């Protein structure tokens, strides 16, 4: 793994032909001004990294964490950054032309005078972002893209595109978005872990493992049975120490639902869009 304290090692490996730096931990790494065109940083943790004036043309930043990073003046022309997290990231005068930012989290990002011409912004969270002086001509957005209420995308030169309609494999007809399930009468631990895993992944990605695991810990019910749910602080994931085939009692189901609700509420205090990122089909009970 590349050390954040030694960016010269990363640069030398890149110069030697290495491009794959997937899932690397590069928190607070000083990579300013480096030529890293075509690099694969997908899933990498670049939180608070210094990438000012870096050449990242055609880079793969899919699912990467760049919260609080500084990419001012960097060139990301044609980069792939679907699902990446740019919470409060500095993207001042950054070249993001033709960059794919679909479903990226840019809430609170500083995009002042950034070049977003012909960028793909479908499902992108741009609420709270500073877009003063940004070039947005030809950028594509859809109904799922989030802007501040006063922002007029058409006036800024963006083009709205229709979201694809999912079809049911059996009927070929559009399938409605899944509705959260009501509190079930029967549930196994394995069923519950589907929801806990999904929410843990979201928390780890958008809030970081420290905060997400802390929220799991502080909201966990005090009943002795729940002590069997072990929280991995490295990735905010939960595993059960007993048999996952174990059937839960109605009381345990109710407490589990309350646990999940409190966890989501805690995450929402830090990132208010958190509930909107939850996939209803991953829930085994309603959060209402």
């Amino acid at each position: 793994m590349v050390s954040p304290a030694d960016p010269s090692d990363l640069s030398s490996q890149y110069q030697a032909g290495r491009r794959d730096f997937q899932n690397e931990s590069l928190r607070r790494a000083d990579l300013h001004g480096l030529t890293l065109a075509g690099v694969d940083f997908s899933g990498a943790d670049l939180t608070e990294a210094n990438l000012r004036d870096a050449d990242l043309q055609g880079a793969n930043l899919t699912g990467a964490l760049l919260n609080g990073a500084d990419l001012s003046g960097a060139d990301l022309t044609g980069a792939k950054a679907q699902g990446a997290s740019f919470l409060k990231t500095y993207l001042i005068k950054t070249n993001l032309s033709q960059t794919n930012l679909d479903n990226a989290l840019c809430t609170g990002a500083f995009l002042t005078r950034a070049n977003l011409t012909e960028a793909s912004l479908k499902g992108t969270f741009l609420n709270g972002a500073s877009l003063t002086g940004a070039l947005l001509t030809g950028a594509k957005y859809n109904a799922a893209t989030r802007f501040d209420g006063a922002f007029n995308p058409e006036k800024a030169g963006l083009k709205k595109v229709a979201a694809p309609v999912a079809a049911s494999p059996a009927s070929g007809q559009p399938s409605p978005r899944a509705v959260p399930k009501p509190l079930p009468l029967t549930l196994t631990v394995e069923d519950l872990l589907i929801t806990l895993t999904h929410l843990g992944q979201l928390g780890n990605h958008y809030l970081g493992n420290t905060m997400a695991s802390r929220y799991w810990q502080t909201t966990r019910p005090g009943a002795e049975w729940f002590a069997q749910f072990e929280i991995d602080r490295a990735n905010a994931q939960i595993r059960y120490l007993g048999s996952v085939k174990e059937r839960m009692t109605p009381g345990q189901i109710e407490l589990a639902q309350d646990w999940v609700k409190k966890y989501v509420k805690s995450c929402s205090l830090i990132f208010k869009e958190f509930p909107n990122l939850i996939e209803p089909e991953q829930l085994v009970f309603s959060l209402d």
Side-chain angles (χ1 to χ4, degrees), residues 40-109:
D40 188 351
F41 278 148
S42 57
D45 185 355
L46 289 150
T47 302
E48 297 182 4
N50 182 358
L51 286 155
R52 290 178 65 92
D53 301 316
D55 181 356
L56 292 163
Q57 295 181 68
N60 186 354
L61 295 165
T62 303
L65 286 175
L66 293 127
N67 300 333
D70 190 350
L71 287 93
S72 298
D75 189 351
L76 279 75
T77 302
K80 299 176 182 178
Q82 301 97 308
S85 185
F86 294 94
L87 276 173
K88 297 184 178 180
T89 301
Y90 291 90
L91 295 157
I92 300 169
K93 296 184 180 180
T94 302
N95 191 346
L96 293 157
S97 60
Q98 301 177 35
T99 297
N100 190 332
L101 290 160
D102 289 350
N103 301 309
L105 183 64
C106 299
T107 301

Side-chain angles (χ1 to χ4, degrees), residues 39-213:
V39 71
D40 188 351
F41 278 148
S42 57
D45 185 355
L46 289 150
T47 302
E48 297 182 4
N50 182 358
L51 286 155
R52 290 178 65 92
D53 301 316
D55 181 356
L56 292 163
Q57 295 181 68
N60 186 354
L61 295 165
T62 303
L65 286 175
L66 293 127
N67 300 333
D70 190 350
L71 287 93
S72 298
D75 189 351
L76 279 75
T77 302
K80 299 176 182 178
Q82 301 97 308
S85 185
F86 294 94
L87 276 173
K88 297 184 178 180
T89 301
Y90 291 90
L91 295 157
I92 300 169
K93 296 184 180 180
T94 302
N95 191 346
L96 293 157
S97 60
Q98 301 177 35
T99 297
N100 190 332
L101 290 160
D102 289 350
N103 301 309
L105 183 64
C106 299
T107 301
F110 301 94
L111 286 154
T112 307
R113 299 175 66 184
N115 182 359
L116 287 150
T117 55
E118 299 183 13
S120 186
L121 302 171
K122 298 189 292 291
T124 307
F125 286 79
L126 286 159
N127 47 318
S130 174
L131 292 165
T132 304
L135 299 175
L136 293 155
T137 305
K140 298 178 179 64
Y141 77 102
N142 63 9
T145 306
R146 304 294 180 87
F147 298 106
D148 285 337
F151 182 78
N152 187 326
E154 281 79 14
K155 188 175 180 179
L158 285 85
K159 297 179 179 179
K160 188 171 184 179
V161 296
V165 179
S168 168
S171 64
Q173 298 300 315
S175 56
R177 186 169 177 82
V179 177
K181 303 176 181 65
L183 191 65
L185 296 176
T186 60
L187 200 70
T188 65
V189 173
E190 187 174 32
D191 295 327
L192 175 61
L193 287 173
I194 293 173
T195 292
L196 301 184
T197 298
H198 176 59
L199 296 177
Q201 289 173 341
L202 287 178
N204 186 38
H205 186 78
Y206 292 109
L207 279 76
N209 59 320
T210 300
M211 293 300 296
S213 58

